[in-house]
Amino acid sequence: MSGNTIAEHIQALKNKTISSVELTQHYLDHIKTTDNTLNNFISITEDQALTAAKQADEKLAQGSDITPLTGVPIAYKDIFCTDGVKTSCGSKMLDSFIAPYDATVVSKLKNAGTVMLGKTNMDEFAMGSSNETSFYGASKNPWDLNKVPGGSSGGSASAVAARQAPATLGTDTGGSIRQPASLCGITGLKPTYGRISRFGMIAYASSLDQAGPMTQTAEDAAIMLNVMAGFDEKDSTSVDQPVEDYTKHLNNSLEGVRIGLPKEYFSEGLDSQVEKQVQLAIAEYEKLGAKICEISLPTTQLAVPAYYVIAPAECSSNLARMDGVRFGHRADNPADLIDLYKRSRAEGFSDEVKRRIMVGTYALSAGYYDAYYNKAQQVRQLISDDFKRAFNEVDVIAGPTAPTTAFDFGSKKDPVAMYLSDIYTIAVNLAGLPGLSHPAGFVDNLPVGLQLIGNHFDESRLLNLAHRYQQVTDHHTMIPTAFKA
């Protein structure tokens, strides 16, 4: 049962071959059996889930006030505020924080009748590419427990891959949905910036953060996005643009679709076996009628340094509120207010978060703002211009999601080496574009992801391409042997 997709669960609930309570209990039991090994959940909301599932069954029986997602269990990355449930951001700083309200996207999914199984593990404050910075210990990759699941949405990706949940929500600031989706062998979508409300999603870098679905299939991602997308007056960065039906064009022909392959994505740094699997996936698209051509994104190599000025600058501002006074960790017996600030933040944040706060504060300081932050924003515009030119030539851009498969825990002690694992994803956030990673094969029994990049608000096209690919391949159906249920 746990191998079923959201689309299959919807059909089963509609046909009454299973109830929401039975479905929810199945996933809860599977989480209990497997999570001591995987460490994917920070909180499991069993009582709340079963209550919501019972209410969903009552609605399904009456046949009124229901949506396609009524009764379907899902889980949330622990960065989304959930009323009455701990929202920790994977940090000691917020270990005791109980959110007093729901994030907008949580409210939308709750109103659509979904059932919350719990909150998933993550890199602290979404800062990391391996899940190793979590205060609660790292999640494991279900394909190899010695490998990282990616980050920062590693717990969300691993949970879907191990079939602990049919879908999860993640967030993506520089690749934090797509990179773990690649390393865990699932489908992950980062929508256009502003397509989904950020209200109630604890901020890392406000001009880059975006929520998105993490699922087994592109079809499931489309079903989720139908509910998640839309304008929100509570979020000043939310775009007031109508929400289309993202499932409507899933089966469109790919005949004549122009797919661009940036030569910069197939150069030094890309593992040769990963490249082979990506090229095989591109060949499948060509068989489906797509036209493949080489393009250039010349500022690709500037994306990582630009990002690691802009994102830390924004995080240093966003995390200033975590001061031990209003909420979050508070140091014991402070000598004075300054001591309270210093020790609360020193005790509450990990080394990686402190590193990014310090880098960001320095980049924003007097005398350095123009040299670093302003220059990085100018580079950001050049990166965006590259994409604009590319989309005059092609409809979609494709390439590897990550330069390697999942790597060993502790193997990237150098922060810069860790940062480079997001080299193909970061530019998409800087330009505010939609990006999707889907399974494209395996290397030594570890998943490889292919990334599709679209023009602004072209999520339907990305989902269409991924769906058609998944109709003729089976990579997305594979389940790690040890976690089949």
Side-chain angles (χ1 to χ4, degrees):
M1 181 194 297
S2 60
N4 291 350
T5 64
I6 285 179
E8 291 167 337
H9 287 327
I10 289 171
Q11 195 60 46
L13 289 166
K14 181 180 178 181
N15 294 340
K16 297 183 170 52
T17 56
I18 193 170
S19 69
S20 178
V21 168
E22 291 170 330
L23 189 60
T24 300
Q25 189 64 63
H26 166 79
Y27 281 109
L28 289 169
D29 290 345
H30 190 48
I31 292 168
K32 290 175 188 176
T33 303
T34 59
D35 210 53
N36 283 340
T37 300
L38 292 171
N39 195 36
N40 286 335
F41 281 81
I42 291 174
S43 303
I44 301 170
T45 53
E46 180 172 9
D47 292 343
Q48 184 174 329
L50 291 172
T51 298
K54 184 178 179 181
Q55 293 170 348
D57 281 334
E58 291 172 355
K59 290 181 179 180
L60 289 164
Q62 296 167 0
S64 60
D65 194 26
I66 60 174
T67 77
L69 284 172
T70 299
V72 175
I74 62 172
Y76 296 97
K77 182 178 181 179
D78 204 24
I79 198 169
F80 295 98
C81 287
T82 43
D83 190 9
V85 178
K86 181 165 83 169
T87 302
S88 73
C89 272
S91 178
K92 179 180 179 179
M93 179 61 79
L94 294 181
D95 181 50
S96 61
F97 176 62
I98 307 298
Y101 65 95
D102 283 329
T104 293
V105 70
V106 172
S107 294
K108 286 188 170 190
L109 286 161
K110 186 184 288 186
N111 292 337
T114 60
V115 174
M116 182 175 73
L117 296 168
K119 309 288 288 296
T120 55
N121 203 354
M122 58 178 287
D123 280 301
E124 184 180 5
F125 285 104
M127 299 180 198
S129 303
S130 65
N131 221 251
E132 292 174 282
T133 69
S134 172
F135 173 64
Y136 304 96
S139 291
K140 307 292 196 304
N141 192 315
W143 292 98
D144 183 338
L145 298 177
N146 295 312
K147 307 289 185 183
V148 304
S152 63
S153 307
S156 294
S158 179
V160 174
R163 304 309 193 251
Q164 292 178 318
T168 56
L169 258 63
T171 62
D172 193 310
T173 305
S176 291
I177 286 174
R178 290 158 290 149
Q179 185 251 20
S182 176
L183 270 51
C184 289
I186 67 165
T187 301
L189 172 67
K190 183 207 89 72
T192 304
Y193 182 77
R195 179 71 290 189
I196 295 174
S197 173
R198 294 188 304 107
F199 179 78
M201 189 178 90
I202 296 174
Y204 161 23
S206 301
S207 75
L208 300 165
D209 299 341
Q210 186 61 200
M214 305 181 76
T215 57
Q216 295 173 44
T217 68
E219 181 182 20
D220 285 358
I223 293 168
M224 293 282 288
L225 190 60
N226 276 349
V227 175
M228 297 168 63
F231 175 69
D232 180 14
E233 62 182 12
K234 296 176 184 175
D235 174 13
S236 62
T237 63
S238 177
V239 177
D240 191 359
Q241 181 167 314
V243 177
E244 60 184 295
D245 180 355
Y246 293 102
T247 64
K248 185 177 180 181
H249 301 292
L250 287 174
N251 292 304
N252 283 7
S253 170
L254 302 190
E255 196 67 40
V257 173
R258 300 168 299 167
I259 297 180
L261 305 184
K263 62 182 182 180
E264 293 82 5
Y265 288 14
F266 297 89
S267 58
E268 185 181 355
L270 176 61
D271 179 88
S272 61
Q273 293 301 306
V274 169
E275 180 177 4
K276 180 180 178 181
Q277 294 302 313
V278 170
Q279 292 290 4
L280 288 171
I282 296 297
E284 288 292 339
Y285 277 116
E286 200 163 18
K287 290 178 188 176
L288 289 167
K291 180 182 178 182
I292 311 300
C293 55
E294 184 181 274
I295 62 170
S296 178
L297 297 172
T299 55
T300 293
Q301 297 302 319
L302 300 178
V304 171
Y307 175 89
Y308 280 103
V309 172
I310 294 168
E314 295 184 10
C315 98
S316 72
S317 176
N318 281 324
L319 296 191
R321 72 195 76 177
M322 313 289 178
D323 56 10
V325 176
R326 286 160 284 194
F327 54 85
H329 174 74
R330 183 183 178 97
D332 293 331
N333 304 313
D336 52 35
L337 186 60
I338 299 300
D339 183 50
L340 171 66
Y341 289 156
K342 286 182 176 179
R343 287 202 292 118
S344 295
R345 289 170 67 80
E347 294 165 9
F349 293 137
S350 71
D351 288 347
E352 181 60 30
V353 174
K354 292 174 188 174
R355 183 182 296 116
R356 298 196 192 194
I357 290 173
M358 291 174 69
V359 167
T361 302
Y362 180 81
L364 291 175
S365 61
Y368 296 99
Y369 179 93
D370 287 335
Y372 294 103
Y373 184 74
N374 193 42
K375 184 66 70 177
Q377 292 287 17
Q378 291 171 344
V379 171
R380 181 180 192 171
Q381 185 60 54
L382 294 177
I383 291 169
S384 182
D385 290 343
D386 270 1
F387 280 113
K388 286 178 184 177
R389 282 190 290 270
F391 285 120
N392 287 329
E393 302 175 23
V394 298
D395 302 305
V396 174
I397 296 168
T401 307
T404 66
T405 55
F407 46 89
D408 290 338
F409 284 104
S411 63
K412 293 186 185 291
K413 290 184 167 58
D414 175 12
V416 176
M418 183 72 77
Y419 299 163
L420 289 173
S421 64
D422 294 328
I423 191 168
Y424 303 126
T425 56
I426 279 174
V428 178
N429 297 77
L430 290 170
L433 299 168
L436 181 150
S437 178
H438 68 68
F442 291 84
V443 172
D444 297 331
N445 202 41
L446 292 172
V448 171
L450 179 140
Q451 179 177 213
L452 299 171
I453 303 167
N455 211 339
H456 293 103
F457 300 102
D458 207 7
E459 287 83 1
S460 278
R461 191 188 295 273
L462 301 185
L463 292 162
N464 165 223
L465 265 73
H467 178 66
R468 291 303 304 272
Y469 176 84
Q470 290 174 346
Q471 287 178 316
V472 297
T473 59
D474 64 357
H475 309 307
H476 62 287
T477 67
M478 301 298 166
I479 306 174
T481 304
F483 299 98
K484 290 182 179 179

